[in-house]
Every structure is written in structure tokens, then in C-alpha cells.
Amino acid sequence: MNRSARPSAPRPLLIGVIALVAAATACSAPGESADKAGSDSGPIKIAVVDARSGQLSSLGEWEYKGAKLAIDEWNKKGGINGRKIQMKSFDSQGDPTTGTNLARKIASEKYIAMIGTAESAVTIAMAPVLKQAEIPNITSGQADALVAQKSPFLFLNGPTSTTYDSTLAKFLVQDQGFKKIAMISNNGSFGKGEHDAFAKAAKGLGANPVSDQVVTTDQKDFSAALTKIRSAKPEVVFIGSEEVEAGLIVKQARDLGIDAPFAGAAPQGTPVFIDTAGKKAVEGTFVSSPYLSNDISPAAQKFAAAYKSAYGEEAELHGAKAYDGTNIVLTALKNSDVATGKKLADAIRATQYDGLLGQFRFGEDGVGITKTTIGVIRDGKLVEHK
């Protein structure tokens, strides 16, 4: 007999041990690996989800860089409670189905919070999974449908379409005196949100659109819709579409002889919109935004300088939104002693943060800021309208 050999554990006992290990793993808190369950050490895992490929990839790049800049700054100061913040980027491709699958992956890999996405449709698709997993998410989407999710784990790091477009409608109708307004928007979550918010605000001010055209999110030829708009002879044209598509719409509109100014929300204030349409085509475009330029405040100037130093390019709204949103989440983590789940969500809601976009004060609906300013594109740059 081999005396060094140990008798094997009785089978029932072995099964019981396996069951206990499995139960312990399943009960690990969000953001912790199984062997770190219940500990207060190790990295704090934050997921950043946005389109890093496809037509909306410019949004993803801006968001990623804004979030990374904030996290890098915190890590340089020692992180939170001596723990480093570990950030991982996930590519949603701007696709809701891909986003839903990523939400499940983020939950299974125990991330404690998520930054993103910039695409409302993707965020809406992810929201039920993140709610069930109790993972707080701060998004740069602006569709009112985000608020309609009524998830206590979903927060917005900027205004809703209602804020953007009610401000814009008031400016166009009351301040500028435009009476003949045409609309062109896409049928995605963002476009529909923009369309409905602007149409409601304009109607409330007594302005019904002289032409209301809806296109698809992947459309490239807008001649049919724009021909109808041209026939209506509008004084201004509202666009409810993302950067690239909006730029193509303006470019084709000018080619068809439409010389009315355009107006819109966040996408129309970006370099991608300007570059896609062409500098001459976008001259005089009106934009409703909470962040018009990198010169709006000393804090914005400091952020822009750090962004330029880190990435060699100019900062813009979406990078600023992600920077603010990430700082809000990290501040809540610090204030809550790195809480997870509902406690972290409550800490985010309680966070009062003076950011680049303004003063964030979150309500029960997850919206923290409700003000925008009107800008205009002059010589290829967005500046405050005066």
C-alpha cells in the first residue's frame, strides 16, 4: 500500500464543496472577481461602451477619449481609496443587438459601472440587462425614450432632446421670427426623439412645419425628401440626425439649391458634421448645445488643453460629456466608499457636480442638467450666437 497517498474525499462531501464554491462565485459583488468577493482591494472595473467602428465611430472615439482622460487623471492621484480604476472599451458598432450582448458580457465580467453609449437606441437596448444586473450606466444619449425606461440605474450626462429642441424652437420662432420651418429627421431612436421634441415645441409656439420629411438611418440619397423641402420654400430647416447623415443632408441640400440655414442639436456642432457637409455649406447653421466651445470657461480651457496634450486634437461636446459623466461616477464611487449596485446608483443620484456642461443636479428621472445655449457656425467653427 502507498502510504503517501491520501484517501479520496467521500463523493457526497466533494459535491457539497463544489456547490459551496459555485454559490460563493455567484454571489460575488459587481466589479469583483470571485476571489475578490467582499474584499476592498484590487482594481475598480469600469466599462466604456460606444461605437468604435462603423458610421458612428467618431462618437465612440470622442467618448472613449473623454472617459479615459478622466480616469487617467484619477489614477495619477492614486485612484479611489488606493485602488486603481481599470477601464475597458467595448465596441457596440452602433448596433442595439450587439449592445445587448455586451451588456450581458459586462454583467458576467463583474463591471461595477458603465460609461456610454452615445447612441440612444443602443443604450435603450442595454438598459433592461443593466437594470437586472444592478449596474449603473451614465449615457451621452439624449432621446426622451431613455427617461421613459424608468430605470433607477440609468443616468444622462447631458440634457434630453426636449431641452435641446425646446430651446432651439424658442430661438427660431420667437427670437428669429421664422414662420416657415421645414423638418428632416431619421427614423432611429435619436432622430425620432429629435423630431418629436422639436415638433411639439414648435407647435406650442404656433409654428407647424411646412414640410416634415423622415428618412432612414442608413440612407445616403436624400434628393426626394429635399426636393419636397425645396418646394415648400422654408426659411430654416431643422435636422434630426447624427453627424455623418446630417452632413450629407446639408451637402445635398446645397447642391439642390436650398439656401435656407439649417438648425439642430448636438450633432450639428461637431467637426464631423462640418467636414462632411463642407465648411461653406454649414455657414450660419444654428446649434442648441450645453457646450459650445473650449473657451466657455476656465474649466473648459483646462480640459481642452489636457485633451489636446493627450490626443493631439481639439476637444468637443461628446468628449466633454463623457469626461463629466465619468467624473460623476468616480466621485460617487469615492463618496460611497466604492459601493456597488443600488448603493452606487443612489450615490450617483446624490452627487452634485459642477462640470464642463454646467451644474449637474440629478432628479429621480436620471437627468442631471436641463439647459442649453444657442450657437452658430461661423467660418467653420461653432461660436455663441450674439
Side-chain angles (χ1 to χ4, degrees), residues 247-331:
L248 292 174
I249 288 171
V250 171
K251 185 177 187 301
Q252 292 176 32
R254 298 305 187 217
D255 291 341
L256 284 172
I258 297 174
D259 58 7
F262 284 85
Q268 283 67 62
T270 64
V272 169
F273 167 73
I274 295 171
D275 292 343
T276 302
K279 183 177 173 181
K280 183 178 179 181
V282 301
E283 182 73 10
T285 296
F286 299 113
V287 180
S288 175
S289 175
Y291 188 89
L292 293 177
S293 77
N294 296 324
D295 297 320
I296 59 174
S297 68
Q301 292 171 355
K302 181 179 178 181
F303 159 73
Y307 192 99
K308 182 72 175 288
S309 177
Y311 308 119
E313 62 187 46
E314 299 296 330
E316 51 70 67
L317 168 65
H318 296 86
K321 287 173 78 173
Y323 182 83
D324 272 353
T326 304
N327 271 307
I328 288 168
V329 171
L330 298 181
T331 299

Side-chain angles (χ1 to χ4, degrees), residues 374-385:
I374 299 297
V376 62
I377 296 177
R378 298 292 186 205
D379 195 27
K381 291 185 178 181
L382 180 62
V383 297
E384 186 176 0
H385 183 273

Side-chain angles (χ1 to χ4, degrees), residues 85-386:
I85 301 127
Q86 178 183 312
M87 167 185 149
K88 183 174 180 179
S89 174
F90 296 87
D91 182 9
S92 71
Q93 301 172 32
D95 176 62
T97 300
T98 301
T100 300
N101 292 332
L102 286 177
R104 296 189 183 104
K105 182 179 178 65
I106 288 166
S108 68
E109 294 184 0
K110 308 300 181 183
Y111 286 85
I112 67 171
M114 179 184 128
I115 309 298
T117 70
E119 307 88 36
S120 297
V122 179
T123 302
I124 289 168
M126 299 178 74
V129 178
L130 297 175
K131 179 181 179 180
Q132 184 176 16
E134 297 192 350
I135 298 174
N137 170 208
I138 190 159
T139 174
S140 286
Q142 65 190 58
D144 290 293
L146 291 162
V147 176
Q149 299 302 303
K150 298 186 182 299
S151 170
F153 297 92
L154 182 58
F155 301 87
L156 278 65
N157 61 18
T160 63
S161 290
T162 292
T163 295
Y164 278 98
D165 297 323
S166 59
T167 301
L168 183 61
K170 182 179 179 181
F171 169 78
L172 295 176
V173 177
Q174 293 186 344
D175 298 350
Q176 297 298 300
F178 292 130
K179 297 180 180 178
K180 299 178 67 177
I181 303 174
M183 298 178 63
I184 181 168
S185 52
N186 69 37
N187 60 359
S189 291
F190 173 79
K192 187 177 186 307
E194 288 294 287
H195 172 279
D196 294 352
F198 183 82
K200 180 180 179 181
K203 184 177 181 180
L205 295 168
N208 291 308
V210 295
S211 182
D212 187 355
Q213 303 299 313
V214 178
V215 299
T216 63
T217 56
D218 57 355
Q219 198 164 324
K220 297 294 187 292
D221 182 357
F222 308 98
S223 55
L226 290 171
T227 298
K228 292 178 181 178
I229 287 176
R230 183 180 62 184
S231 298
K233 298 180 180 179
E235 297 171 299
V236 65
V237 181
F238 170 83
I239 306 180
S241 181
E242 293 84 353
E243 286 79 358
V244 174
E245 186 173 69
L248 292 174
I249 288 171
V250 171
K251 185 177 187 301
Q252 292 176 32
R254 298 305 187 217
D255 291 341
L256 284 172
I258 297 174
D259 58 7
F262 284 85
Q268 283 67 62
T270 64
V272 169
F273 167 73
I274 295 171
D275 292 343
T276 302
K279 183 177 173 181
K280 183 178 179 181
V282 301
E283 182 73 10
T285 296
F286 299 113
V287 180
S288 175
S289 175
Y291 188 89
L292 293 177
S293 77
N294 296 324
D295 297 320
I296 59 174
S297 68
Q301 292 171 355
K302 181 179 178 181
F303 159 73
Y307 192 99
K308 182 72 175 288
S309 177
Y311 308 119
E313 62 187 46
E314 299 296 330
E316 51 70 67
L317 168 65
H318 296 86
K321 287 173 78 173
Y323 182 83
D324 272 353
T326 304
N327 271 307
I328 288 168
V329 171
L330 298 181
T331 299
L333 280 166
K334 180 179 179 181
N335 291 343
S336 65
D337 197 23
V338 194
T340 60
K342 186 179 183 301
K343 288 184 178 180
L344 177 56
D346 290 342
I348 293 173
R349 189 169 288 102
T351 298
Q352 297 188 1
Y353 181 78
D354 294 341
L356 302 173
L357 274 64
Q359 294 184 329
F360 285 84
R361 305 292 186 266
F362 288 97
E364 288 301 313
D365 59 0
V367 178
I369 193 165
T370 56
K371 181 181 178 182
T372 64
T373 303
I374 299 297
V376 62
I377 296 177
R378 298 292 186 205
D379 195 27
K381 291 185 178 181
L382 180 62
V383 297
E384 186 176 0
H385 183 273
K386 296 180 180 180

Side-chain angles (χ1 to χ4, degrees), residues 7-22:
S8 60
R11 188 171 182 80
L13 177 60
L14 181 60
I15 292 174
V17 170
I18 293 173
L20 285 171
V21 172

